[in-house]
Amino acid sequence: MTITKDNLLTLEAYAKIRKSSQPEMIAHRKLRTVHLGEHISVQFEDEATIRRQIQEMLHIEKIFDEDGILGEIEAYAPLVPDGSNWKATMLIEYPDVHERKRELARLIGVEDRMFVEVEGHARIYAIADEDLERENDEKTSAVHFVRFEFPPAAREAVRAGAAVKLGCDHTNYPAHVAIPAETLASLAGDLR
C-alpha cells in the first residue's frame, strides 16, 4: 500500500489513538529489529513503521497543510520496501560519549560492509545513505539508512523459508547473526 495524504489520519484522529496504539507499534518495531553484536541494531522498516513516523512528524510539528503533509510523505516514503528489497535504519549505539566518538572514527564505511546472506545465495551488501552522505573523513554517522536489494532467486528462497543471516565484515566490527524466525517471517512479507 502506498502512503498518501488521503490514507493518513488527521491530526485530531491521530491524537486520539496515539497513546493507545503505541504499545502495538513498539512490539511491531521490536519484532523487526535485529541486534548485531553489542553496538549495532538494524530496524527493518515497512509501511506501518513509516506511516507511524510520518504521523508522528505531522503531530509533533503540527503540520496540517497539504504541502507540509506531502513534504513529509515525500521525505519518508522512500524508506518503505517496494517488494524487491529490505530497507532499514541502522543505529550504531555507544552510551559513553567518548567511546562513541572513538568508535565512530574507527567504523568509517561500516554501513557499506553490512550484508544479508540468504542460505545458499551470495551475500547481499547494503546500499547505504542514498538520501545524503552521512560520514566524513573523521567519523561515520551513528544513524544510516540502508537498502538490501534481493535478486529474484534470493527473494524466492526467503519466501520459501530459507535461513538468513545479518552480518558485517568491516575490519573493526566483524559480526553476524541468524535473523530469528519470527523476525524473518515478518521480513519475508516485504518481498514479492
Side-chain angles (χ1 to χ4, degrees):
M1 172 189 265
T2 307
I3 300 171
T4 66
K5 181 177 88 51
D6 296 332
N7 62 27
L8 289 171
L9 297 173
T10 64
L11 288 180
E12 298 82 20
Y14 181 68
K16 287 179 184 166
I17 62 108
R18 184 172 182 245
K19 289 272 190 272
S20 63
S21 65
Q22 195 169 14
E24 185 182 331
M25 182 47 65
I26 289 170
H28 180 71
R29 190 167 273 294
K30 186 176 179 187
L31 171 68
R32 294 179 60 91
T33 298
V34 177
H35 297 279
L36 184 62
E38 287 181 49
H39 302 289
I40 291 179
S41 63
V42 178
Q43 299 176 347
F44 290 95
E45 306 294 355
D46 67 358
E47 191 269 338
T49 63
I50 297 303
R51 175 182 298 278
R52 179 69 180 216
Q53 182 64 38
I54 292 169
Q55 293 280 185
E56 275 295 302
M57 293 307 293
L58 297 176
H59 175 82
I60 291 164
E61 303 288 334
K62 304 287 184 252
I63 298 169
F64 55 86
D65 63 288
E66 186 168 356
D67 287 347
I69 294 168
L70 294 175
E72 291 301 318
I73 292 170
E74 198 175 293
Y76 287 100
L79 297 175
V80 178
D82 58 22
S84 66
N85 51 43
W86 288 343
K87 296 182 180 180
T89 304
M90 174 186 155
L91 305 169
I92 303 172
E93 302 165 303
Y94 288 89
D96 178 76
V97 67
H98 302 295
E99 183 183 18
R100 180 169 53 245
K101 185 176 181 184
R102 184 184 70 237
E103 293 306 313
L104 290 177
R106 292 180 67 233
L107 292 174
I108 290 174
V110 69
E111 66 280 6
D112 298 316
R113 304 311 305 162
M114 298 294 293
F115 64 84
V116 291
E117 191 172 341
V118 179
E119 183 180 20
H121 295 267
R123 286 181 176 174
I124 299 165
Y125 281 90
I127 300 162
D129 302 325
E130 295 175 286
D131 58 337
L132 58 110
E133 193 56 46
R134 293 182 183 276
E135 69 179 19
N136 56 40
D137 293 338
E138 291 160 30
K139 68 176 183 67
T140 191
S141 172
V143 179
H144 294 278
F145 297 103
V146 296
R147 173 170 59 96
F148 299 97
E149 198 62 47
F150 286 77
R155 277 199 308 261
E156 288 305 313
V158 172
R159 291 174 54 90
V164 182
K165 282 191 242 179
L166 173 69
C168 178
D169 62 12
H170 188 281
T171 309
N172 295 322
Y173 202 93
H176 66 272
V177 62
I179 297 177
E182 333 59 268
T183 300
L184 196 51
S186 180
L187 295 177
D190 296 345
L191 300 173
R192 292 192 285 281

